[in-house]
Amino acid sequence: SWITIGHPSVIEVLSHAGFDWLTIDMEHTTIDYSMAQILISTIQSNGMAALVRVSKNDEVYIKRVLDAGADGVIIPMINNADEARKAVEFVKYPPEGKRGVGLYRAQQFGLNNGFENYKKWLNESVVTIAQIEHIDAINNIEEIISIPGIDGVIIGPYDLSGSLGIPGEFDNSKVISALS
């Protein structure tokens, strides 16, 4: 499910609904990094994975939510292979990526071999999802999903329909054709 209200009680309610993961939306909400960290830890303490949709394909946004402990990221407006490749580079540590190193919550603040444990987990287990929200992305979908480290895609129907000049018209044949 999608978390757009920055309050731990929302997660506590959803934890009883049987979700495997919850996504914190930092693109279209007022949820900031401090609240995201609280929500991430609340999600994880309720036995679910915590994904975060960042506001854009940006190294700083991505590493901050991963350093806060997110289990994965959803990155909006990935339209081609180069953008997908950059997203993976921002998520992964070298040699798979180019992410800088910090010692924060995810790395157990540098204690108990935390960075080495996290580095291994991150490069093997973190989820990187490209959000497909434009007709250009639909046209480039095969190259986007071929990038190593892109674990999945999610369609953003509102922006996709907008890129076709028909925002919100999901039953329009142009949208249906783009999704086929």
Side-chain angles (χ1 to χ4, degrees), residues 38-148:
I38 292 167
L39 297 175
I40 289 165
S41 63
T42 304
I43 290 168
Q44 292 167 338
S45 71
N46 280 281
M48 297 171 288
L51 303 183
V52 176
R53 177 169 68 169
V54 294
S55 57
K56 67 179 184 174
N57 190 9
D58 179 273
E59 179 179 13
V60 173
Y61 294 140
I62 292 169
K63 73 179 164 185
R64 287 189 76 187
V65 298
L66 291 174
D67 286 346
D71 297 296
V73 289
I74 298 173
I75 304 164
M77 281 295 174
I78 300 296
N79 291 325
N80 57 52
D82 289 336
E83 292 174 0
R85 195 173 293 107
K86 282 184 181 178
V88 172
E89 288 176 353
F90 296 155
V91 168
K92 306 282 187 181
Y93 288 120
E96 291 90 350
K98 297 181 178 179
R99 181 172 163 207
V101 175
L103 301 176
Y104 193 57
R105 179 179 179 266
Q107 302 86 1
Q108 297 174 344
F109 302 96
L111 304 170
N112 304 318
N113 208 25
F115 174 70
E116 288 303 316
N117 295 333
Y118 179 71
K119 180 177 71 171
K120 182 178 185 329
W121 173 85
L122 177 102
N123 280 350
E124 293 174 1
S125 302
V126 73
V127 177
T128 305
I129 299 174
Q131 189 159 5
I132 307 301
E133 303 181 87
H134 196 278
I135 191 61
D136 292 344
I138 296 292
N139 294 333
N140 296 321
I141 192 74
E142 293 298 325
E143 70 179 43
I144 292 169
I145 63 174
S146 72
I147 300 301

